[in-house]
């Protein structure tokens, strides 16, 4: 990576961090490009130079923010299989990876969850695509579990994947908001009990 690319990447990270914090504080509509630039310590024109518009910037922030999550989920599942575990172990490992991501990016996750319900936004198709990427990782593991006989072949893979992703995201945000003093290990154990109770019962 060239020095110019490195600087541009660092600028984008500062802008993303500033935007997530501001939007978490006051909402998307009330957050201006000027505020984002000021919080990031760059000129207003830098935002338009890198992204073109506020909408383009927000879409890029969503995509760049979710990408590490999908990578982390796939890595967690692969690690579970490499350790000799099955699909249920892979899902449990993915729940732990998702919890770690949300812990590190709580404001971004709140923003992501809130924006999913605002279907009139210009970037809603982007959110739909990003959700599909995340749930797709889970669907792959569920399909593998059905194929191997670990899960029932009557399992509704699409709806179960969405429910599992929602369980981890909302459960983790609830923990962050109302039980922040409790260790993350306890949250993962609670998620694991729910996960294993449902799927192992099949």
């Amino acid at each position: 990576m060239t020095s110019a690319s490195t600087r541009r990447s660092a600028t984008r990270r500062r802008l993303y961090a500033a935007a997530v914090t501001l939007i978490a504080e006051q909402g998307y509509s009330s957050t201006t490009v000027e505020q984002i630039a000021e919080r990031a310590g760059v000129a207003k024109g830098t935002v338009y130079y890198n992204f073109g518009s506020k909408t383009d910037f927000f879409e890029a922030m969503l995509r760049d923010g979710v990408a590490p999550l999908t990578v982390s989920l796939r890595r967690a599942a692969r690690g579970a299989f490499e350790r000799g575990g099955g699909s249920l172990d892979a899902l449990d490992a993915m729940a732990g990876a998702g919890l770690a991501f949300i812990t590190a990016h709580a404001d971004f996750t709140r923003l992501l969850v809130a924006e999913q319900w605002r279907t009139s936004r210009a970037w809603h198709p982007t959110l739909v695509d990003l959700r599909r990427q995340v749930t797709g990782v889970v669907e792959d593991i569920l399909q593998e579990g059905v194929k191997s006989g670990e899960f029932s072949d009557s399992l509704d893979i699409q709806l179960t994947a969405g429910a599992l992703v929602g369980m981890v995201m909302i459960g983790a945000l609830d923990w962050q908001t109302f039980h922040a003093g409790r260790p993350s290990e306890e949250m993962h154990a609670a998620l694991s009990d729910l996960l294993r109770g449902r799927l192992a019962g099949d």
Side-chain angles (χ1 to χ4, degrees), residues 117-128:
W117 316 122
R118 297 184 173 121
T119 56
S120 62
R121 300 286 206 192
W123 52 80
H124 185 67
T126 297
L127 277 173
V128 171

Side-chain angles (χ1 to χ4, degrees), residues 120-142:
S120 62
R121 300 286 206 192
W123 52 80
H124 185 67
T126 297
L127 277 173
V128 171
D129 181 56
L130 294 175
R131 179 190 177 279
R132 188 180 298 117
Q133 290 178 30
V134 175
T135 58
V137 179
V138 181
E139 287 178 12
D140 288 345
I141 304 302
L142 291 171

Side-chain angles (χ1 to χ4, degrees), residues 70-171:
T70 58
V71 170
S72 178
L73 294 178
R74 291 190 187 281
R75 184 184 298 122
R78 185 169 59 250
F81 286 130
E82 289 173 351
R83 291 189 294 273
S87 296
L88 190 54
D89 297 305
L91 291 171
D92 192 9
M94 291 165 72
L99 180 60
F101 176 87
I102 294 166
T103 300
H105 308 283
D107 282 344
F108 177 77
T109 305
R110 289 188 182 94
L111 183 155
L112 194 64
V113 170
E115 288 299 324
Q116 286 194 62
W117 316 122
R118 297 184 173 121
T119 56
S120 62
R121 300 286 206 192
W123 52 80
H124 185 67
T126 297
L127 277 173
V128 171
D129 181 56
L130 294 175
R131 179 190 177 279
R132 188 180 298 117
Q133 290 178 30
V134 175
T135 58
V137 179
V138 181
E139 287 178 12
D140 288 345
I141 304 302
L142 291 171
Q143 288 171 349
E144 180 62 31
V146 171
K147 182 179 177 180
S148 68
E150 189 174 353
F151 303 147
S152 169
D153 58 9
S154 66
L155 186 69
D156 188 321
I157 290 175
Q158 188 177 54
L159 291 183
T160 301
L164 292 177
V165 170
M167 178 184 76
V168 174
M169 293 184 73
I170 301 303

Side-chain angles (χ1 to χ4, degrees), residues 35-109:
Q35 290 172 328
I36 293 170
E38 182 179 1
R39 180 71 64 94
V42 301
K44 172 185 171 182
T46 301
V47 179
Y48 294 113
Y49 173 77
N50 281 273
F51 301 100
S53 70
K54 182 182 175 183
T55 297
D56 291 343
F57 166 73
F58 192 71
E59 288 194 16
M61 183 183 74
L62 291 173
R63 289 190 179 279
D64 286 5
V66 170
L69 173 59
T70 58
V71 170
S72 178
L73 294 178
R74 291 190 187 281
R75 184 184 298 122
R78 185 169 59 250
F81 286 130
E82 289 173 351
R83 291 189 294 273
S87 296
L88 190 54
D89 297 305
L91 291 171
D92 192 9
M94 291 165 72
L99 180 60
F101 176 87
I102 294 166
T103 300
H105 308 283
D107 282 344
F108 177 77
T109 305

